[in-house]
Amino acid sequence: MSQYSIWVLEYSYVTNYHKSGVLYGAHNQGFVKLPYCYALIKGNGHVAMVDVGYNDKEYGKHLGDKFGVENWRSPRKVLAGVGLTPEDVDTVFITHAHFDHFGNVEDFPKAKFYIQEREIAKWTWAMSLPDRLRWMMVAVDPGDILRGVNLAREKRLHCIDGAMADVLPGIDLHVAYDSHTFASMWVNVRNDGKAQSADPWVLAGDLVYVFENIEGPGAVVDVETPMYVPVGLALGSQQNLVMATEEMMKQVGYEARRVIPIHEERLKDRFPSRITEDGLRISEICLADGETSKVK
Amino acid sequence: MAADGSSLTMLDWAAQVHDPSCAGFGPSGAVETFCLPDAVGDEVAAYGLEARQVYNALKRVIGQAAGLMILLEASNRREALDLSSLAAAEETFQEARQRLGRLDAPSRLERHFTHLAAAGRLVGESLAALRAQRDAVARPDMTAAMQSLSAAYRHLQTASEDRFGMTMVDFRHSCCNCGADDRRKQAL
């Protein structure tokens, strides 16, 4: 019995992105398409999101011109692809505080948000450091933190400390400290509701960008079997990224296809998908009992 | 510092993602938009490079103060206001205020300076409100501090100018950044 449906919804993309950004050490190996996505989980009477993307409004052109980000669409347009609206969303898990994950909370007026307390506390600390240490402050918009205050005052932002089981029935939050960011989360959906699930799905946030982060080429260290290769961008350490990957894989019984990277263009090769009229992809990871496909 | 290749690159990284009128900051105030003149002379460049120091300091203080307020509101951590971070924010703010006092804005950039000065004043008011609440017997009330801080952000956002590195988000190792220069070269 499957309790939840999961879709990965593309809301924008970068056509040519350095491969070394998604795969540690992949220098001079050209470019890959980098889709920007968030995940949507529906079931048990809930509609939950994993991250909310960023707010385009007046600066989308700037992002497009300078960074090659194309074809941004609002959550209202994107969620319509699965028959939902932003107002339907009651829960949002913010995996980390980067602008493209935490940058659009105002578009979800009825949602409760969850983020790691340490993610906020350490960003706050980082902003107190001298300018020469500002490398640790990149990709965070103070405006997003400000909007977080408004959410907190409305009792819609919950700062959690560490892992949290059953934040919704059968859905757990986990954290990788000092990895991609100070406290990046991943979401484990135990889709049969059992503690030792036979149907788990991990939504990895930015802890895993692409398939190769889990099934990377082992040949570089003379190993025949695939190995974990961390993402190229780590505020903490690549070691912590690798250890988080091991933990995620353990939770899914080492079945790599059950760890869902949201910057992976090739999800379409593993899961049913379709391109919307806006040119963005919807990937259908799994369907709850009784739910109808949104990609057929 | 000479405007060598690295500094030019530095001026080129960033972008803004939120309009000052964003509803997320509460009701919109009357913050007029501002555009730097296209032709940037020495006088403007000198002002811009110094103003950038003020801008970045205020941006950091806004982030710090907002982070402390989140910890207080969402985690009920009263000790958030006792953290050394508040003292650090005040120290950064004082440095910014002194720089602001020394800024010599060319006449055509007076409006830019006005926004920067307004942001500085409002950040100061927000920190003062936070200090006052630190000693409150009852649960701290963040209303005044938040209003000032949101207004400060609006003014600072309006004063953003990526040609001088005055941007709210530093994208250098965010998802979209890698290879921006190479992509441009490829497109040529």
Side-chain angles (χ1 to χ4, degrees):
Chain A
M1 176 188 162
S2 294
Q3 299 183 335
Y4 293 100
S5 303
I6 301 173
W7 294 278
V8 173
L9 307 174
E10 186 179 27
Y11 70 86
S12 189
Y13 51 76
V14 177
T15 302
N16 292 312
Y17 181 77
H18 262 302
K19 193 170 180 181
S20 60
V22 298
L23 200 64
Y24 180 80
H27 305 301
N28 301 314
Q29 293 184 21
F31 299 88
V32 294
K33 180 186 172 188
L34 185 82
Y36 279 52
C37 305
Y38 28 68
L40 190 138
I41 307 167
K42 180 187 174 200
N44 266 339
H46 292 282
V47 176
M49 300 269 292
V50 181
D51 296 322
V52 291
Y54 69 89
N55 182 318
D56 195 67
K57 291 193 178 148
E58 301 218 342
Y59 300 108
K61 183 176 184 306
H62 193 109
L63 274 169
D65 291 347
K66 286 205 176 279
F67 303 102
V69 182
E70 300 173 50
N71 202 22
W72 183 91
R73 290 291 184 275
S74 70
R76 190 165 302 283
K77 286 279 266 182
V78 174
L79 267 59
V82 291
L84 295 167
T85 69
E87 288 78 12
D88 294 325
V89 176
D90 58 59
T91 308
V92 174
F93 310 120
I94 299 294
T95 60
H96 60 294
H98 280 168
F99 79 99
D100 57 321
H101 296 257
F102 190 33
N104 201 20
V105 298
E106 64 269 28
D107 270 4
F108 297 91
K110 295 180 179 174
K112 281 185 182 175
F113 292 76
Y114 292 83
I115 192 169
Q116 285 291 321
E117 180 182 292
R118 182 182 160 92
E119 181 79 354
I120 298 294
K122 292 291 280 185
W123 284 121
T124 305
W125 165 76
M127 288 178 196
S128 74
L129 298 174
D131 239 17
R132 60 185 174 275
L133 295 172
R134 65 180 179 274
W135 184 83
M136 286 186 276
M137 306 167 212
V138 300
V140 173
D141 182 351
D144 293 337
I145 309 296
L146 262 178
R147 277 176 287 273
V149 180
N150 281 332
L151 291 179
R153 300 186 76 210
E154 294 166 6
K155 308 296 180 199
R156 293 202 292 131
L157 180 69
H158 300 271
C159 288
I160 61 174
D161 184 12
M164 184 175 186
D166 288 307
V167 60
L168 296 178
I171 297 180
D172 308 328
L173 303 179
H174 298 270
V175 58
Y177 295 118
D178 297 324
S179 54
H180 181 63
T181 61
F182 293 115
S184 285
M185 283 204 296
W186 77 85
V187 179
N188 185 355
V189 179
R190 291 177 283 106
N191 217 2
D192 53 10
K194 295 178 180 171
Q196 300 299 318
S197 179
D199 187 17
W201 295 98
V202 161
L203 300 161
D206 269 1
L207 294 166
V208 174
Y209 274 15
V210 291
F211 295 147
E212 284 91 341
N213 298 134
I214 303 170
E215 299 170 298
V220 293
V221 287
D222 294 327
V223 178
E224 293 302 319
T225 54
M227 68 175 188
Y228 307 147
V229 180
V231 302
L233 307 175
L235 180 62
S237 80
Q238 262 84 15
Q239 176 193 348
N240 289 337
L241 278 163
V242 168
M243 296 312 292
T245 306
E246 169 66 3
E247 187 60 29
M248 286 185 265
M249 285 291 281
K250 190 173 167 186
Q251 289 176 3
V252 297
Y254 295 93
E255 194 178 343
R257 68 183 295 275
R258 288 182 174 275
V259 177
I260 307 301
I262 59 157
H263 286 299
E264 175 55 87
E265 169 67 2
R266 295 161 297 172
L267 282 176
K268 66 181 186 295
D269 298 336
R270 294 190 179 180
F271 300 96
S273 73
R274 72 175 170 93
I275 298 289
T276 66
E277 61 184 17
D278 292 318
L280 297 168
R281 185 173 296 281
I282 297 174
S283 298
E284 193 163 83
I285 305 304
C286 62
L287 283 177
D289 293 353
E291 182 67 72
T292 56
S293 173
K294 301 298 186 283
V295 299
K296 290 176 182 168
Chain B
M1 185 177 71
D4 57 14
S6 61
S7 63
L8 286 173
T9 302
M10 186 174 68
L11 295 178
D12 201 31
W13 353 285
Q16 311 145 347
V17 292
H18 280 274
D19 183 3
S21 65
C22 170
F25 302 127
S28 178
V31 179
E32 291 181 41
T33 56
F34 171 82
C35 291
L36 201 68
D38 284 339
V40 176
D42 290 347
E43 186 187 37
V44 171
Y47 168 81
L49 292 172
E50 188 63 22
R52 183 176 70 186
Q53 306 293 328
V54 176
Y55 176 98
N56 284 332
L58 293 177
K59 180 180 77 172
R60 284 169 45 199
V61 175
I62 289 172
Q64 280 178 264
L68 294 175
M69 283 193 268
I70 285 186
L71 294 174
L72 186 71
E73 293 280 356
S75 300
N76 204 20
R77 288 193 179 271
R78 180 83 185 239
E79 68 272 22
L81 296 185
D82 297 329
L83 293 174
S84 57
S85 294
L86 187 53
E90 289 181 340
E91 188 178 331
T92 305
F93 170 68
Q94 291 304 333
E95 288 173 11
R97 198 168 71 163
Q98 287 170 16
R99 279 184 181 274
L100 196 57
R102 293 196 298 268
L103 258 183
D104 185 15
S107 57
R108 57 181 174 157
L109 293 180
E110 277 177 4
R111 283 177 59 204
H112 184 269
F113 178 78
T114 300
H115 284 302
L116 214 51
R121 176 179 53 79
L122 289 159
V123 167
E125 288 176 11
S126 181
L127 289 177
L130 275 178
R131 270 197 309 274
Q133 290 301 317
R134 182 173 52 191
D135 303 322
V137 176
R139 179 180 170 79
D141 181 357
M142 296 291 108
T143 305
M146 186 59 189
Q147 283 175 346
S148 297
L149 209 59
S150 295
Y153 183 90
R154 285 184 199 281
H155 281 285
L156 203 60
Q157 176 72 302
T158 303
S160 295
E161 172 49 63
D162 72 308
R163 281 175 288 176
F164 287 102
M166 290 187 257
T167 57
M168 283 299 178
V169 183
D170 181 343
F171 288 101
R172 279 172 302 165
H173 72 169
S174 64
C175 303
C176 62
N177 178 48
C178 288
D181 284 345
D182 285 351
R183 278 195 299 275
R184 274 195 291 275
K185 287 172 190 166
Q186 275 193 334
L188 293 175

